[in-house]
């Protein structure tokens, strides 16, 4: 086990925390708005199918057909490591997409930030259901907002990126080289109307994870880059992962990102170099597909958190009416058509779409990238990698259509006429998109 002694709970304290979590996993809310947490694991299932790598390639090619210059995916599982690449990672040189190259992972950074914060909970340095005001006095206007509300996107804090990127390219160019303080980003959010009362409903907001970064720095007394390095990157030997804010460069071989303007047919904008200061702890990590597979697999295997914290992180509530998409603590869960439940995060930063997911036992993982953004069809197409990698090739025979799954049950077995999967519809958006 990689989890070091200072991150483990003492036996008595761990039991007490498990008991406390069992009673407080979902904040109090009006009966009509609150939703019970979903089960964190699926019932016993047949052996997992082998990945359909031809299907993975088809999903990558679909991303190209929908505007991405290049795309790639890396699968790791009992069958070994399998990778596929299509298109180019540099439109100027024509350099082919390389699965070893680094790229900006956008909101997958939120899972890194959550791991660090939950390690601090493991160490007794903060409480999930304590008000943020206890640790950052006077920062937020509502003392009811808790640490858990931030990690589950239930704080009601408005997402400052909505007006920031209302016009995609002009908005990006205005912040490409700008360096923000955390306080400036929080102030941008507080100038907007709140989206919900604390704890009532899920509403994705980058502001939540800016505050998470502030908590990490307040409790450790060090920059968030130091926390990533000491607590995640170095222990897991993630050699291609870094947090270089406010440097604009991606060191070493890397993928160039291309942003679609809002105007149809307008030329792509090379968005590779930027500070990502508008996101910081919400989205500024750089990584590789291999490192993301390692990270998600290690997380799910319990190498970074205590069992109590991992259970809290993977306890989820629905974010869509079909109950195929869920959110826990800085972690998404997708329920796929074959019954597989996969945990991870999506990522969008200008010029890059990322998926990084693993099964709950950590035995299988997938990381995928398309080097474009503000083009939702490419994002949705890339999401098809999850179905083909985790569910294998489609069955050739049809079956009776199953009943719609409930929030607490796994979907029925995959068939040609089964209910739509988590990746059939438009992809979830981590940033506003216009095209």
């Amino acid at each position: 086990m990689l989890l070091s002694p200072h991150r483990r709970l003492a036996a008595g304290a761990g039991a007490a925390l498990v008991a406390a979590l069992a009673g407080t996993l979902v904040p109090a809310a009006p009966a009509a708005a609150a939703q019970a947490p979903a089960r964190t694991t699926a019932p016993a299932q047949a052996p997992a199918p082998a990945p359909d790598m031809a299907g993975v390639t088809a999903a990558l090619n679909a991303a190209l057909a929908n505007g991405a210059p290049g795309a790639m995916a890396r699968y790791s599982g009992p069958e070994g490591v399998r990778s596929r690449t299509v298109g180019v990672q540099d439109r100027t040189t024509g350099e082919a997409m390389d699965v070893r190259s680094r790229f900006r992972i956008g909101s997958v950074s939120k899972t890194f930030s959550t791991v660090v914060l939950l390690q601090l909970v493991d160490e007794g340095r903060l409480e999930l259901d304590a008000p943020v005001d206890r640790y950052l006095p006077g920062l937020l206007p509502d003392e009811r907002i808790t640490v858990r509300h931030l990690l589950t996107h239930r704080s009601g804090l408005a997402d400052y990126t909505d007006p920031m990127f209302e016009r995609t390219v002009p908005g990006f160019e205005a912040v490409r080289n700008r360096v923000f303080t955390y306080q400036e980003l929080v102030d941008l959010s507080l100038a907007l109307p709140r989206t919900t009362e604390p704890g009532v409903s899920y509403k994705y907001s980058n502001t939540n994870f800016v505050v998470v970064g502030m908590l990490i720095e307040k409790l450790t007394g060090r920059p968030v880059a130091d926390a990533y390095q000491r607590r995640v990157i170095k222990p897991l030997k993630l050699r291609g992962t870094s947090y270089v804010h406010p440097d604009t460069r991606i060191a070493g071989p890397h993928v160039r990102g291309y942003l679609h303007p809002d105007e149809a047919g307008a030329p792509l904008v090379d968005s590779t170099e930027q500070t990502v200061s508008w996101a910081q702890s919400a989205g500024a990590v750089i990584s590789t597909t291999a490192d993301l597979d390692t990270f998600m697999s290690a997380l799910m295997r319990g190498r970074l958190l205590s069992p109590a914290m991992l259970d809290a992180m993977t306890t989820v509530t629905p974010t869509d009416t079909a109950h195929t998409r869920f959110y826990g603590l800085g972690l998404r869960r997708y329920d796929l058509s074959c019954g597989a439940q996969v945990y991870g995060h999506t990522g969008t930063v200008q010029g890059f779409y990322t998926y990084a997911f693993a099964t709950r036992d950590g035995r299988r993982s997938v990381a995928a990238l398309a080097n474009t953004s503000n083009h939702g069809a490419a994002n949705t197409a890339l999401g098809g990698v999850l179905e083909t990698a985790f569910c294998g090739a489609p069955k050739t025979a049809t079956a009776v259509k199953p009943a719609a799954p409930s929030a607490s049950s796994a979907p029925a077995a995959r068939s040609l006429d089964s209910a739509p999967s988590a990746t059939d519809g438009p992809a979830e958006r981590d940033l506003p998109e216009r095209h």
Side-chain angles (χ1 to χ4, degrees):
M1 292 286 289
L2 185 62
L3 187 64
S4 59
H6 80 280
R7 294 179 191 157
R8 283 194 172 279
L9 296 173
L17 181 55
V18 172
L21 286 171
T24 60
L25 280 173
V26 176
Q35 293 173 304
R39 292 170 59 170
T40 61
T41 56
Q45 300 178 24
D52 174 16
M53 298 310 295
V56 168
T57 301
L60 300 179
N61 279 322
L64 262 64
N66 283 284
M72 62 181 169
R74 182 185 187 273
Y75 168 88
S76 179
E79 306 85 357
V81 174
R82 301 179 183 180
S83 302
R84 296 291 185 271
T85 63
V86 299
V88 298
Q89 65 181 28
D90 188 322
R91 297 178 71 228
T92 300
T93 66
E95 182 180 5
M97 184 65 75
D98 188 333
V99 76
R100 298 166 295 182
S101 293
R102 296 170 182 164
F103 53 90
R104 301 193 184 278
I105 67 172
S107 287
V108 182
S109 305
K110 292 178 171 65
T111 307
F112 281 75
S113 297
T114 302
V115 166
V116 171
L117 201 67
L118 293 183
Q119 287 180 358
L120 295 172
V121 176
D122 266 339
E123 295 163 15
R125 299 168 75 173
L126 83 162
E127 299 175 9
L128 277 174
D129 294 302
V132 174
D133 187 65
R134 177 186 298 180
Y135 309 103
L136 298 169
L139 177 69
L140 303 181
D142 194 330
E143 63 182 12
R144 296 174 299 167
I145 298 175
T146 67
V147 176
R148 191 189 300 275
H149 290 154
L150 299 177
L151 296 176
T152 56
H153 292 292
R154 290 174 176 268
S155 69
L157 296 171
D159 193 339
Y160 58 86
T161 67
D162 289 340
M164 181 179 284
F165 301 126
E166 183 176 6
R167 297 179 62 213
T168 302
V169 172
F172 166 66
E173 295 294 0
V175 301
R176 181 197 281 262
N177 296 305
R178 185 168 172 181
V179 178
F180 291 92
T181 65
Y182 283 130
Q183 185 66 59
E184 286 175 323
L185 297 176
V186 171
D187 289 345
L188 290 174
S189 170
L190 296 182
L192 302 171
R194 299 268 290 283
T195 60
T196 181
E197 292 293 306
V200 170
S201 61
Y202 169 90
K203 181 65 175 176
Y204 192 90
S205 174
N206 286 284
T207 308
N208 292 313
F209 280 80
V210 168
V211 180
V212 167
M214 297 178 78
L215 285 169
I216 291 170
E217 295 197 348
K218 177 67 177 291
L219 293 168
T220 64
R222 299 284 298 164
V224 72
D226 180 72
Y228 290 147
Q229 184 67 33
R230 291 192 306 108
R231 294 172 174 271
V232 180
I233 296 172
K234 185 176 179 180
L236 295 181
K237 297 181 174 62
L238 306 181
R239 295 181 176 88
T241 301
S242 59
Y243 181 83
V244 300
H245 172 267
D247 196 344
T248 62
R249 296 167 296 174
I250 303 177
H254 60 273
V255 180
R256 301 200 69 83
Y258 298 96
L259 177 62
H260 275 267
D262 296 336
E263 301 77 20
L268 300 180
V269 173
D270 188 323
S271 52
T272 310
E273 280 80 33
Q274 62 161 307
T275 63
V276 201
S277 194
W278 60 266
Q280 300 188 52
S281 51
V285 173
I286 294 164
S287 194
T288 65
T289 55
D291 279 4
L292 290 179
D293 277 344
T294 297
F295 171 64
M296 289 300 177
S297 179
L299 174 59
M300 291 296 104
R301 289 174 183 264
R303 297 178 64 197
L304 293 169
L305 297 172
S306 70
M309 282 298 95
L310 184 55
D311 184 64
M313 192 177 190
T314 55
T315 299
V316 297
T317 52
T319 63
D320 69 338
T321 57
H323 287 181
T324 58
R325 295 170 175 174
F326 303 80
Y327 208 89
L329 305 183
L331 198 69
R332 296 192 188 279
R333 189 185 92 190
Y334 283 177
D335 288 3
L336 304 180
S337 65
C338 60
Q341 295 180 334
V342 293
Y343 296 81
H345 216 289
T346 53
T348 301
V349 64
Q350 288 89 355
F352 303 89
Y353 286 133
T354 303
Y355 285 77
F357 284 81
T359 53
R360 181 60 181 82
D361 60 9
R363 297 184 67 228
R364 296 186 294 151
S365 60
V366 168
L369 166 84
N371 58 342
T372 195
S373 68
N374 197 39
H375 209 278
N379 194 9
T380 298
L382 184 67
V385 165
L386 301 183
E387 280 283 334
T388 54
F390 290 113
C391 290
K395 297 182 184 301
T396 56
T398 60
V400 176
K401 184 174 182 177
S406 68
S408 62
S409 64
R414 191 182 191 198
S415 67
L416 288 181
D417 60 352
S418 62
S421 73
T423 53
D424 283 340
E428 292 177 89
R429 297 189 298 181
D430 302 322
L431 286 179
E433 293 195 338
R434 313 297 171 193
H435 184 54

